[in-house]
Every structure is written in structure tokens, then in C-alpha cells.
Amino acid sequence: MSIPLESAPRAGDSVMLDACPAYFLAPQPVMSLPDDPLLPPELILQHDEVTLDLGQCKADRDLAFQTGFVIFILYLFGAIFIAAGMQDGELDSLALMLTLVLLSIVMLAALLGFGWQVIRRRRRPTIRFNRQRRELCYRDAVSGAPRFVPWESLVAYVYGGTALGATAIGRPIKMEAHSLRLAEYQAHDRSLHNFYQGEGNMIVNFALENWEAIRRFMEEPREHWLRVGPLSDSQGFRRRRRDLWQRFKANPNKRWLHINLRDYSESWLTMGAYYLFHLLSWWQLPYSVSARYLRLAVLRPWSEEVEEWSQPLPEAQWVKPSDEYLKARAAFLADKGYK
């Protein structure tokens, strides 16, 4: 998508794009102090010492939760219809048939929703950043070929659009939806070419902090990077469950009824609740569904060109920040009194 823009944007500019406000964060990124506390980023899928992969929305990370929610909906409707059918002391054939039909409809809707989400997600690219080369890469929407963009020429902005919602009584309302967008400015036709659009959030800080997590990865030492949680897949579930069980067995001070939602290994009650919850949500199934979704729609294989581009470089070959950027960074830190 291209948007006419008379001049190249700079960090701090505010303009109206398609009758909605946009606040530019880059080029020459607006910086926070490296040790400012921030929320864990939702859009970042994973990173290592060289690359960072940026997803599209929270659904890339919480499909296991959504699958578990569908399972508990099945339980709820099944319990309601069974209870209604047994009012006279027995479950008649009509109530049983209606129960099976309803459960089949819910399962079919879940499968269709999964397929729609995969198709929708495949149309929206995953972005890869390379901190050693100071570039990012994305698949061109038309040709599918990889396109490489220098980090310091990247245009990043928060777009203040609107989304449709509803009140508790079903009345439609319009809500603010702030999304992080990435683009290239094309001087030859004075247009802003958008190639990434994150999901909208009612709170603008979510978009700002996702950008800041990217900026810190590209510009700051590792100790200032934001922690990114593991993706919800079957391998991660097995690893987390095994680590939790080992901590529980090794804990000499575990109690019977103590509740600590941050560490289930501290008591028999929370460990029992943990295993009961996962047994009721069909154990590993939600994480297997999430892993399938990630393979089909999100973490698709990159081309050989991108894989080679993603390999580590000797430190002597790392691309250095421009003098313009270093001056802007030094001025910002001096203004904030940061040493």
C-alpha cells in the first residue's frame, strides 16, 4: 500500500494519513533510555544474537490459549445440553442428537476459523531484522522475492486509526486502534510504501513499546534487550512442564495449600491444579495446534538468499552506525543526563 507524502518523514513528525493521525518514530529513531522498564513485547516472535523476527499480532503467540478456550466451550455446551436432556431422569435421543450436532458445529467453526486465520496470516509478512548488517528483510507482496532495507532509512510510525466494537448490549461503537507500521519512503514518486502493519491496540503505549523493543535489539547491548518469551508450541510445552516438575521435585520446602501463580512448583495445590487444567484442555493438543499454525502461516522457510544473509558475521565486518545517527544518539543521551 502506497500513501502520497510530499517530503521524507523524520522521527517526531506528525501528519494526517487517510484522515487519521500518524506519529513517526524513525528514520533517526526516537530513543528511550536503555534501562527504562517496558512491557514484554507481543509482536516479537523470537530473536538470537543476529536476527529478530517480527510477527503481526498477538494471535501469533496465543493460539494455544484460543484452542484451549474452544475446548472449554465444548465442555460448556455439552454440559448444558446433557443437563437439559436429563431433567426427567434420562437423556432422550433428541437431546443427544442436538448435543452432537451442536458440538459438531462448534468443531467445524473452529476448523474453519483456523483455516481462515492461516490464510489471512500468510498474506501478511514476517519481518526479519539483522543487527550485524543493520538491515531488515521482508517478502515482497507481489513477487514474493526478499527485499532488503537499510535500518537507518526505515520509516516507522504509529497509526491512530479506528476499529469497530460493541457495547455489552450489542450497540456498535468506534474505538481507537493504534498500530505500529513500517514503510519505505520512495522519493521518486513522493510516496510512503507500507510493507508491515501490526494489529491495532486501544492503548498507544503497546505500539510504542513494541517499536522500542526492536530499536533496543538493533542499537543497544544485549543487557538492555527486552526478554521475549518462547513461542507456544508442543516442544516448548514439554520443556516447560519438565522444568516445572524438576523444580517441584527438588523443592524441599513445598507446601500443601500455598498459592503462587508465578511458580506452581511451590505447593502440591498449584501443581495439582496445573496438571488438572492441562488434562481438561486435552494436554498437548492446544500446543500442537499452535505449532502447526506457526509452521503453516508464520515461520515459513526463508529463501537461501535470506538464510545466508542471516548468518553471523565476523565482528570486523559488522556495519557501523552512521555519523549522523551517532550524533543524534549522543545528543539525546546528553539531554537526558544519561551516562
Side-chain angles (χ1 to χ4, degrees):
M1 180 179 67
S2 294
I3 301 173
L5 199 63
E6 287 300 317
S7 60
R10 303 293 291 177
D13 291 350
S14 293
V15 299
M16 298 296 290
L17 298 179
D18 294 335
C20 292
Y23 179 76
F24 287 95
L25 307 171
Q28 293 301 316
V30 172
M31 293 166 280
S32 71
L33 296 179
D35 50 4
D36 280 352
L38 297 175
L39 295 172
E42 292 182 344
L43 296 182
I44 295 178
L45 298 173
Q46 56 192 7
H47 66 63
D48 54 29
E49 294 292 334
V50 182
T51 62
L52 176 149
D53 289 337
L54 185 68
Q56 289 287 342
C57 59
K58 193 177 180 181
D60 286 355
R61 286 191 154 274
D62 69 354
L63 197 68
F65 172 81
Q66 296 178 28
T67 305
F69 181 76
V70 170
I71 291 172
F72 280 98
I73 290 293
L74 292 175
Y75 282 136
L76 177 62
F77 279 107
I80 290 174
F81 274 80
I82 291 173
M86 295 187 68
Q87 286 181 349
D88 298 327
E90 61 180 6
L91 185 65
D92 58 39
S93 58
L94 178 60
L96 179 60
M97 183 178 67
L98 289 175
T99 301
L100 294 176
V101 168
L102 182 62
L103 295 180
S104 300
I105 290 173
V106 173
M107 289 296 293
L108 179 61
L111 289 173
L112 291 175
F114 178 81
W116 173 82
Q117 195 153 321
V118 167
I119 293 171
R120 176 175 177 264
R121 179 62 179 83
R122 286 176 69 91
R123 294 172 179 170
R124 308 175 71 182
T126 295
I127 312 297
R128 173 163 288 184
F129 294 81
N130 187 316
R131 72 187 309 265
Q132 295 181 359
R133 297 180 184 269
R134 292 180 67 80
E135 289 181 329
L136 63 109
C137 173
Y138 69 93
R139 292 185 181 93
D140 184 80
V142 178
S143 66
R147 181 169 176 81
F148 302 94
V149 181
W151 163 249
E152 291 187 24
S153 70
L154 172 68
V155 178
Y157 64 99
V158 174
Y159 183 77
T162 58
L164 293 178
T167 64
I169 59 174
R171 180 177 297 174
I173 57 173
K174 287 186 177 181
M175 304 178 296
E176 291 185 347
H178 304 279
S179 60
L180 175 64
R181 298 191 177 187
L182 305 179
E184 293 181 83
Y185 182 73
Q186 299 176 342
H188 67 276
D189 61 358
R190 294 185 178 181
S191 66
L192 197 63
H193 171 66
N194 286 289
F195 57 83
Y196 174 87
Q197 176 180 332
E199 292 291 316
N201 289 288
M202 293 177 60
I203 302 175
V204 68
N205 277 16
F206 289 156
L208 294 172
E209 294 189 356
N210 275 287
W211 167 252
E212 179 60 15
I214 299 168
R215 190 203 65 78
R216 287 192 186 182
F217 173 81
M218 294 294 288
E219 297 291 353
E220 304 293 345
R222 184 180 180 85
E223 60 266 23
H224 296 312
W225 296 357
L226 272 72
R227 186 183 66 83
V228 176
L231 294 172
S232 296
D233 57 14
S234 50
Q235 182 179 359
F237 168 69
R238 290 194 296 269
R239 183 175 61 252
R240 291 191 296 273
R241 185 199 62 79
R242 185 171 56 249
D243 291 346
L244 179 63
W245 178 248
Q246 293 298 330
R247 291 202 310 274
F248 178 73
K249 288 199 305 181
N251 185 1
N253 300 315
K254 49 183 173 283
R255 291 178 277 178
W256 282 100
L257 301 177
H258 177 69
I259 296 177
N260 183 352
L261 299 181
R262 294 184 177 181
D263 187 356
Y264 300 133
S265 67
E266 291 192 359
S267 78
W268 290 89
L269 173 64
T270 50
M271 280 297 292
Y274 172 86
Y275 275 89
L276 177 62
F277 172 81
H278 285 291
L279 285 171
L280 290 176
S281 58
W282 302 356
W283 198 239
Q284 193 172 293
L285 177 65
Y287 299 94
S288 299
V289 171
S290 178
R292 184 72 173 172
Y293 168 76
L294 290 170
R295 286 196 301 270
L296 289 174
V298 181
L299 302 177
R300 291 180 289 159
W302 291 95
S303 65
E304 291 184 7
E305 182 183 6
V306 177
E307 290 295 346
E308 183 178 353
W309 173 86
S310 303
Q311 296 304 310
L313 294 172
E315 189 168 356
Q317 297 180 21
W318 291 10
V319 177
K320 304 300 181 185
S322 67
D323 291 340
E324 184 183 7
Y325 177 82
L326 291 175
K327 289 178 181 178
R329 185 175 187 272
F332 171 83
L333 296 177
D335 182 62
K336 298 294 183 179
Y338 187 83
K339 298 182 179 179

